[in-house]
Each structure stands twice: as structure tokens, then as C-alpha cells.
């Protein structure tokens, strides 16, 4: 086993839809992972906002092993105690009234899309730059032209709006079935909705009888310092989609509905073989139970604010700000060097990613503490210094150093004060 052999093996045998992997990992523990050559990394990407408990957490391991040894799958002709326990927990935490269980975020959004279709109205509104998945339905909701174009024509009736309340006011009408939004656009580069957008969206959708669907696939499960990001705004949507963090690494997705919206489905109108099976349900219920019992939603809020401040305090001329909320953060850069920083971080034993040319994303486990933060800052600081030494000088007004504002560290955009 060696990294180069494994990466060659992958590229020769897997479809080239992803490109060559960046590493071959063998095992993990907490926020650490080791590659097949035994090299250790600090994981601050968390499988893209998935591993809320980190790697190989005893609660996760116990839930998988115990349920696998008890009952894994019986089909959706039947229910099981873990399925009912998970559904009860999701409803209690969210305030929703019905759940559909799926296997991924894409499938949760497909279910939401079919729900919207059942209103009988012809138009669905989504946002520019949105990411909702890659099946043809979820891709039709996705607002990234480069991802859509090879597969067009996609499902019709979907419009992508500019990210402003004015654009929503202008577009919405009584013929709109639903508006779907991410509270923070993770794949677009950790872009929070503008201040007041979600509240305005709630009022406008209510006024026109349209469904408000929030895609909390990346923001849910406590990541932003609330169980679900819509809860920061004091509103309730009609539907919410979940995946990623709720399984802590086990594949699962969910559509949660509110105010009776889920009753639009009639028996036989939607289904999936695996969705909500006993194994996935038991694991998700245990993962969310640990997030709850260990106070990890509060930890995400506190550690996220601390992390944002301390990244700014590194004083790198490449860093112009930090946006996002809780432990979903985007480090804003003065130049399009996000991929260089990601690669340098990797060489220094740190995993982060670059969702846009000028943004580095952090989405670590929600149980990080002092030690993980210290190691992150040391390794990330080294990566920044390495890239700053080779990158072309950023525009004079784009950096704290150049403008002399490093002394007064700015508040991270969208982070709790
Ligand atoms: C906001 C959002 N919606 C949907 C998806 C698709 O989820 P999945 O990859 O589990 O199908 C993602 C994945 O990154 C996402 O971030």
C-alpha cells in the first residue's frame, strides 16, 4: 500500500467524474486521519460538513455495530423502533410534523421537489449559485451553469433568482409552488443569505401560498450553532431537507415538513428501498443524541466564533475576512489563491477545501476543543505564510496589512458577535 499506487489504481478503475483523489486515507480518530503511508492530518473539512462527531467516535461505532448485529434492513413495507426514534427526534428538534427518510441530500431535495410539484403550481424559485445536488431534478434546482449545461434541457419551470429580497419580491406570485434556499450557500463559497432574507422569504411565500423549503443539508445538525440555521431567524419553513451531518458519516437524508405540507403526498407517490432503514436510522439517532447530550450545538457556536477571530488574528495579508456561522466558515482571501492554500495546508498536515477561487472552507467536527484549534492555527498559519511568500502581492486596498487595519480585527461576517 502506498499513496501513489492507490491514486493510480483509483484513476485506472473509477469513472473520471471526480478526477484524481488528493490522498488515500486509511483510518481516523477524532479530528485526525492517517493516510495509507501513515502520515497524520488534522481534518477541518469533516468529510464536507458530515463528520459531526469526528472519526470513529465510540457512539457512532457502537450504534453501527449494535444495530448491524440486531436488524439492518426490512424494506419500507415495515417500520422499526430505530426509525420511529429518529423521526421523533427530528420532529422534536425542528418543530416539524412529518418526515420522509432518504439516503442522501440529493434524494431529500428530490422529495422536496416532488412535494412542490404536488401543489399543482407551475413555477419553482431557487437562487443563483445554489447547490442542491446532481440528480437531474436536484441539478435543475442547482444554480451553477457549469454543472447544469452538459445535461440540459433539465426539468422546466425553475427560475434562479439573484440573491436579493428585491429580486424575490419581483419574481414571486400566486403561481409559485415553492422557493428553495440554503441559509448559507456552502458550495458557492460559504455565502450567507443577506440579512433579513429568510424572514422576508417567509412573509412573501406565506402571502402567496407558496412553500418555503430550506436546504439545511450543509447547515443542519447543529453546524451553525443552532440545530437548524432557520432557527437563528425566528421563522419556520414549510419544509427542510437534511443529510450530511445527521448521519455523522453514515449515508442518510431526510425531508422534514411543517404546517401539514407533508400531507400533500398520497401513498405510493414517493419511495426508496433503503431510505430510513433500521441501520441508518439507529446511527443517525445515536449521532444526533450525542450532539444533543454533549452540548455540541453550543460548542459549534462558541468554537466557531473563536476560530473566526483567531484566523483573523493570524494577521496574514492574504486573509481579508471570515464569513459563515458556527463551524461552517469561509475564509475570504485577497487573491484567487484558495487552491494554493489548500494544497499548502495539505503539505502541512491539514485538510481544508477551496469551494471558490478566493475562499477556503472550514467545516470541522462539532466537538473540536482547544487542542484541535491550536494545531489548526499552527498548520494553517504555516500554509498561509508559504503561499504569501510566493503569491503575487494582493491589491493595496484588499488586505488589512496594506490598509493598516490589522490592529482592529474585524468581526467575521455573519458569525455570532
Ligand atoms: C446544500 C446542499 N444541498 C444538497 C447537497 C447534495 O447532497 P448529497 O451530496 O448528499 O446528495 C449538498 C452537498 O454538498 C449540499 O451542500
Amino acid at each position: 500500500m502506498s499513496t501513489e499506487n492507490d491514486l493510480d489504481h483509483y484513476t485506472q478503475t473509477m469513472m473520471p467524474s471526480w478526477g484524481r483523489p488528493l490522498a488515500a486515507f486509511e483510518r481516523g480518530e477524532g479530528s485526525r486521519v492517517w493516510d495509507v503511508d501513515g502520515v497524520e492530518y488534522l481534518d477541518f473539512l469533516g468529510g464536507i460538513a458530515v463528520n459531526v462527531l469526528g472519526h470513529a467516535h465510540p457512539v457512532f461505532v457502537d450504534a453501527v455495530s449494535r444495530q448491524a448485529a440486531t436488524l439492518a434492513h426490512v424494506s419500507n413495507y415495515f417500520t422499526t423502533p430505530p426509525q420511529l426514534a429518529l423521526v421523533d427526534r427530528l420532529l422534536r428538534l425542528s418543530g416539524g410534523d412529518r418526515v420522509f427518510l432518504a439516503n442522501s441530500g440529493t434524494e431529500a431535495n428530490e422529495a422536496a421537489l416532488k412535494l412542490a410539484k404536488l401543489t399543482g403550481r407551475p413555477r419553482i424559485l431557487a437562487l443563483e449559485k445554489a447547490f442542491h445536488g446532481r440528480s437531474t431534478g436536484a441539478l435543475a434546482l442547482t444554480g451553477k451553469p457549469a454543472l447544469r449545461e452538459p445535461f440540459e434541457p433539465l426539468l422546466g419551470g425553475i427560475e434562479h433568482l439573484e440573491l436579493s429580497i428585491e429580486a424575490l419580491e419581483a419574481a414571486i406570485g400566486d403561481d409559485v409552488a415553492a422557493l428553495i434556499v440554503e441559509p448559507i450557500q456552502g458550495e458557492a463559497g460559504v455565502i450567507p443569505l443577506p440579512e433579513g432574507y429568510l424572514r422576508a422569504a417567509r412573509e412573501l411565500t406565506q402571502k402567496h401560498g407558496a412553500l418555503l423549503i430550506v436546504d439545511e443539508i450543509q447547515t443542519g445538525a447543529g453546524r451553525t450553532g443552532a440545530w437548524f440555521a432557520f432557527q437563528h431567524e425566528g421563522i419556520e419553513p414549510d419544509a427542510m431537507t437534511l443529510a450530511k451531518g445527521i448521519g455523522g458519516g453514515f449515508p442518510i437524508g431526510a425531508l422534514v415538513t411543517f404546517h401539514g405540507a407533508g400531507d400533500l403526498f398520497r401513498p405510493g407517490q414517493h419511495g426508496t428501498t433503503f431510505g430510513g432503514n433500521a441501520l441508518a436510522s439507529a446511527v443517525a439517532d445515536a449521532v444526533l443524541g450525542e450532539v444533543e447530550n454533549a452540548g455540541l450545538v453550543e460548542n459549534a457556536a462558541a468554537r466557531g466564533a473563536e476560530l473566526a477571530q483567531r484566523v483573523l488574528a493570524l494577521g496574514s495579508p492574504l486573509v481579508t475576512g471570515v464569513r459563515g456561522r458556527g463551524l461552517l466558515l469561509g475564509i475570504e482571501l485577497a487573491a484567487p489563491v484558495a487552491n494554493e492554500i489548500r494544497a499548502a495546508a495539505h503539505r502541512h498536515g491539514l485538510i481544508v477545501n477551496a469551494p471558490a477561487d478566493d475562499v477556503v472552507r472550514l467545516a470541522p467536527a462539532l466537538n473540536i476543543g482547544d487542542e484541535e484549534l491550536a494545531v489548526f492555527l499552527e498548520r494553517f498559519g504555516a500554509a498561509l505564510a508559504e503561499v504569501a511568500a510566493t503569491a503575487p502581492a494582493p491589491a493595496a486596498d484588499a488586505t488589512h496589512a496594506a490598509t493598516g487595519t490589522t490592529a482592529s480585527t474585524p468581526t467575521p461576517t455573519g458569525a455570532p458577535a
Side-chain angles (χ1 to χ4, degrees):
M1 284 286 212
S2 81
T3 294
E4 284 313 310
N5 283 348
D6 283 4
L7 302 191
D8 287 345
H9 186 175
Y10 179 104
T11 36
Q12 284 153 17
T13 53
M14 300 283 282
M15 283 192 202
S17 60
W18 284 117
R20 194 174 169 87
L22 299 167
F25 288 120
E26 195 165 53
R27 69 187 175 93
E29 190 182 329
S31 285
R32 300 304 221 285
V33 285
W34 286 264
D35 71 14
V36 292
D37 296 322
V39 178
E40 176 260 351
Y41 296 79
L42 181 75
D43 182 3
F44 259 46
L45 183 58
I48 317 182
V50 166
N51 302 316
V52 291
L53 304 182
H55 299 277
H57 191 285
V59 166
F60 180 91
V61 174
D62 180 66
V64 173
S65 328
R66 219 184 256 262
Q67 193 60 41
T70 305
L71 183 73
H73 181 89
V74 288
S75 94
N76 280 310
Y77 287 119
F78 313 100
T79 188
T80 61
Q83 184 180 73
L84 295 173
L86 172 63
V87 166
D88 283 350
R89 190 185 296 275
L90 288 172
L91 294 179
R92 175 169 58 78
L93 296 174
S94 66
D97 55 21
R98 290 204 185 268
V99 178
F100 177 85
L101 290 170
N103 309 291
S104 66
T106 296
E107 287 175 64
N109 281 336
E110 286 290 338
L113 184 55
K114 284 179 74 173
L115 188 75
K117 289 260 165 208
L118 289 175
T119 63
R121 294 181 175 197
R123 297 172 62 215
I124 294 174
L125 306 181
L127 297 181
E128 285 177 356
K129 296 190 181 172
F131 186 80
H132 296 296
R134 293 170 183 263
S135 63
T136 49
L139 189 58
L141 295 172
T142 291
K144 295 184 162 209
L147 298 185
R148 301 164 52 91
E149 273 160 16
F151 304 101
E152 285 176 337
L154 292 163
L155 185 69
I158 298 172
E159 297 157 47
H160 290 93
L161 310 182
E162 185 188 286
L163 230 163
S164 74
I165 296 173
E166 296 72 35
L168 177 58
E169 280 169 343
I172 201 161
D174 291 351
D175 55 352
V176 169
L179 165 70
I180 181 165
V181 296
E182 299 156 87
I184 298 174
Q185 294 185 321
E187 296 308 302
V190 192
I191 301 175
L193 287 175
E195 178 59 34
Y197 189 97
L198 214 46
R199 288 191 298 278
R202 177 66 290 181
E203 275 170 31
L204 288 165
T205 46
Q206 213 144 29
K207 183 170 154 204
H208 291 281
L211 299 175
L212 173 61
I213 304 170
V214 288
D215 177 338
E216 297 251 11
I217 286 160
Q218 197 153 148
T219 51
R223 178 148 301 277
T224 69
W227 271 103
F228 308 104
F230 75 78
Q231 293 168 335
H232 292 296
E233 303 300 321
I235 61 122
E236 238 179 29
D238 301 299
M240 162 173 75
T241 51
L242 296 170
K244 288 190 182 277
I246 63 167
F250 204 95
I252 185 166
L255 168 65
V256 179
T257 53
F258 302 71
H259 319 127
D263 295 335
L264 284 167
F265 276 126
R266 290 278 150 261
Q269 284 185 328
H270 197 48
T272 153
T273 295
F274 293 122
N277 83 12
L279 183 52
S281 298
V283 178
D285 190 43
V287 166
L288 294 175
E290 175 65 12
V291 172
E292 207 169 357
N293 297 335
L296 299 186
V297 181
E298 297 76 13
N299 195 58
R303 294 299 182 175
E306 183 185 352
L307 182 54
Q309 293 295 351
R310 289 178 69 181
V311 166
L312 292 171
L314 287 172
S316 168
L318 286 176
V319 175
T320 55
V322 181
R323 62 188 183 221
R325 195 158 190 166
L327 286 172
L328 181 58
L329 295 176
I331 300 173
E332 302 168 335
L333 304 171
V337 290
N339 201 41
E340 284 86 334
I341 293 173
R342 180 208 58 71
H346 195 92
R347 289 193 294 277
H348 286 276
L350 173 66
I351 302 170
V352 295
N353 93 323
D357 287 350
D358 55 356
V359 183
V360 170
R361 172 171 48 184
L362 310 181
L366 305 188
N367 54 7
I368 56 165
D370 290 341
E371 201 260 341
E372 288 85 358
L373 245 74
V375 175
F376 168 80
L377 289 162
E378 184 196 316
R379 296 182 187 181
F380 192 63
L384 285 173
E386 194 178 304
V387 175
T390 54
D397 61 353
T399 71
H400 304 314
T403 54
T405 56
T406 32
S408 58
T409 308
T411 308
T413 321

